[in-house]
């Protein structure tokens, strides 16, 4: 196609989550904690956990199929699939598998890894393919199964994470541009604050030559530093994006943040001088689902009738890397 200078509309949304729910009460049977302790510090009450037969690829495909149907498109209309995930089924990537499961036979697909910032990074990446006229219909998916990489004896992390997937459909438009502005940042000097590190062992091949093999260790996090980082950097990124969009706080209908912790979301809203009723949150139901959390919360808000066509949404992802990003868009 030749659609250079196209704008972006967001025309469909869908989500998927495993059936199994792990409650705070369940967690109190695993580690020394309580429903009151978890909820008061995080805002979480349950999280969905994948069983041994559920895959990241299928969760992502289910969310994508629902988003495509919501956009009144067919899978063969899709030109590109961008899968934001840190937990693929295959270390080489899961996007191509998702493309096959969806039936998007015309689409190219690739994975993007930016942890909890992944969905916003993927949305911004997808927008460049649309604006340069390369693709017309793009599916952006955020999906993670972090329960695979949780230390279930560590009460500081095991209470936080859940599994899920969410997706949106972005479409080229000559008449409007609904992605109004964005910001992206990275700071590798703080990488150690949130990790899922590889741990290797040496293996001798021949005299004088060794290689390494191993696996990944469970998630580790310095919660205090991550909180400080998020509360300082996220409002700043959103304010910069609003400035680029020519908007002020009063123009924002909804604040849609990565669902890491309710206290973080409340603190960001307070710094932006946004009332708490403008925060979109489903953290009580899903916990922290990493790259999936923003589209999961968006889909829930749409189904509840909160978000309506034309609403202006300030969204931000933040997490491992450390990375953070913000985008201002209008729904529909």
């Amino acid at each position: 196609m030749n659609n250079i200078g196209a704008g972006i509309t967001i025309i469909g949304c869908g989500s998927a989550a495993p059936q199994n729910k792990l409650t705070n009460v369940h967690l109190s049977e695993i580690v020394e904690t309580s429903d009151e302790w978890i909820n008061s510090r995080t805002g979480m009450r349950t999280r969905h956990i994948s069983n041994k037969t559920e895959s990241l690829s299928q969760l992502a495909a289910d969310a994508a199929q629902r988003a495509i149907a919501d956009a009144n498109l067919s899978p063969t209309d899709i030109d590109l699939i961008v899968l934001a995930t840190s937990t693929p089924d295959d270390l080489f990537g899961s996007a191509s598998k998702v493309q096959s499961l969806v039936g998007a036979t015309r689409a190219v697909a690739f994975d993007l890894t930016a942890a909890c910032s992944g969905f916003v990074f993927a949305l911004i990446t997808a927008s460049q393919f649309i604006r340069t006229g390369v693709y017309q219909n793009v599916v952006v998916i955020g999906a993670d199964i972090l329960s695979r990489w949780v230390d279930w004896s560590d009460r500081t992390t095991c209470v936080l994470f859940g599994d899920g997937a969410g997706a949106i459909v972005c479409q080229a438009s000559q008449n409007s541009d609904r992605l109004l502005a964005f910001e992206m940042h990275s700071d590798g000097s703080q990488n150690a604050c949130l990790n899922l590190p590889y741990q290797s062992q040496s293996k001798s091949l021949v005299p004088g030559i060794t290689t390494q093999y191993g696996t990944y260790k469970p998630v580790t996090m310095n919660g205090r530093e991550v909180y400080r980082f998020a509360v300082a950097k996220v409002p700043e990124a959103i304010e910069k994006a609003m400035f680029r969009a020519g908007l002020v706080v009063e123009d924002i209908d909804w604040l849609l943040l990565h669902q890491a912790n309710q206290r973080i979301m409340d603190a960001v809203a307070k710094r932006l001088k946004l009332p708490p009723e403008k925060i979109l949150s489903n953290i009580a139901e899903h916990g922290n689902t990493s790259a999936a959390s923003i589209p999961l919360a968006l889909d829930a808000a749409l189904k509840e009738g909160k978000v309506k066509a034309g609403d202006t949404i300030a969204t931000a992802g933040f997490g491992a890397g450390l990375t953070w990003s913000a985008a201002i868009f209008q729904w529909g």
Side-chain angles (χ1 to χ4, degrees):
M1 64 175 290
N2 184 10
N3 203 22
I4 295 175
I8 299 150
T9 56
I10 302 174
I11 61 170
C13 189
S15 63
Q19 291 298 311
N20 288 339
K21 290 186 179 182
L22 190 69
T23 69
N24 291 349
V25 174
H26 289 141
L27 284 164
S28 70
E29 299 172 9
I30 300 170
V31 292
E32 185 180 345
T33 190
S34 67
D35 175 61
E36 190 280 330
W37 190 92
I38 298 169
N39 185 52
S40 65
R41 287 163 176 78
T42 68
M44 301 173 188
R45 291 197 179 276
T46 67
R47 64 286 295 146
H48 295 246
I49 302 295
S50 298
N51 63 35
K52 64 181 181 180
T53 66
E54 291 173 313
S55 68
L56 184 285
S57 300
Q58 190 62 62
L59 268 180
D62 289 346
Q65 286 171 326
R66 290 164 188 166
I68 293 167
D70 189 52
N72 293 315
L73 298 176
S74 68
T76 53
D77 293 321
I78 304 305
D79 303 304
L80 170 66
I81 296 171
V82 183
L83 172 62
T85 186
S86 300
T87 56
D89 296 322
D90 184 333
L91 193 59
F92 290 158
S94 289
S96 293
K97 178 67 172 178
V98 172
Q99 179 245 28
S100 175
L101 291 169
V102 169
T105 54
R106 293 181 52 255
V108 65
F110 62 84
D111 292 53
L112 182 153
T113 301
C116 301
S117 298
F119 178 78
V120 180
F121 273 39
L123 169 61
I124 294 165
T125 300
S127 74
Q128 308 311 301
F129 287 98
I130 292 175
R131 284 179 168 157
T132 55
V134 178
Y135 296 127
Q136 173 84 24
N137 297 311
V138 180
V139 175
V140 178
I141 310 169
D144 271 304
I145 298 182
L146 278 172
S147 61
R148 292 172 171 171
W149 300 107
V150 167
D151 178 355
W152 292 100
S153 67
D154 177 10
R155 73 170 187 166
T156 65
T157 56
C158 76
V159 303
L160 301 176
F161 298 107
D163 305 334
I168 60 172
V169 177
C170 302
Q171 187 173 71
S173 171
Q174 292 295 334
N175 301 317
S176 63
D177 192 350
R178 297 303 183 97
L179 181 59
L180 306 180
F182 62 83
E183 279 282 318
M184 303 168 72
H185 296 278
S186 302
D187 182 1
S189 69
Q190 298 190 72
N191 178 260
C193 292
L194 182 52
N195 287 114
L196 203 167
Y198 180 75
Q199 185 174 45
S200 66
Q201 300 179 46
S202 294
K203 178 179 176 62
S204 177
L205 299 179
V206 297
I209 299 177
T210 62
T211 187
Q212 57 173 303
Y213 69 98
T215 187
Y216 290 90
K217 296 171 64 178
V219 176
T220 61
M221 182 174 67
N222 184 329
R224 181 171 295 180
E225 288 304 314
V226 171
Y227 178 91
R228 288 175 179 170
F229 144 74
V231 171
K233 296 297 186 181
V234 172
E236 179 182 282
I238 292 173
E239 286 172 339
K240 287 181 178 179
M242 285 195 300
F243 177 79
R244 289 185 176 183
L247 301 177
V248 294
V249 169
E250 290 74 19
D251 296 318
I252 303 300
D253 295 301
W254 301 105
L255 181 64
L256 176 56
L257 302 179
H258 164 51
Q259 310 281 293
N261 185 302
Q262 188 64 48
R263 293 198 296 182
I264 291 176
M265 291 189 277
D266 292 341
V268 170
K270 185 176 181 180
R271 292 205 177 190
L272 291 170
K273 295 182 172 58
L274 277 167
E277 58 268 23
K278 288 194 174 185
I279 301 172
L280 294 178
S281 174
N282 67 347
I283 197 169
E285 167 71 14
H286 289 279
N288 180 343
T289 54
S290 192
S293 75
I294 289 173
L296 267 171
L298 176 61
D299 194 44
L302 287 163
K303 285 182 169 62
E304 293 167 11
K306 287 184 176 180
V307 174
K308 297 177 174 60
D311 281 0
T312 300
I313 300 170
T315 189
F318 51 91
L322 294 174
T323 58
W324 64 105
S325 54
I328 312 294
F329 68 92
Q330 291 175 317
W331 174 255

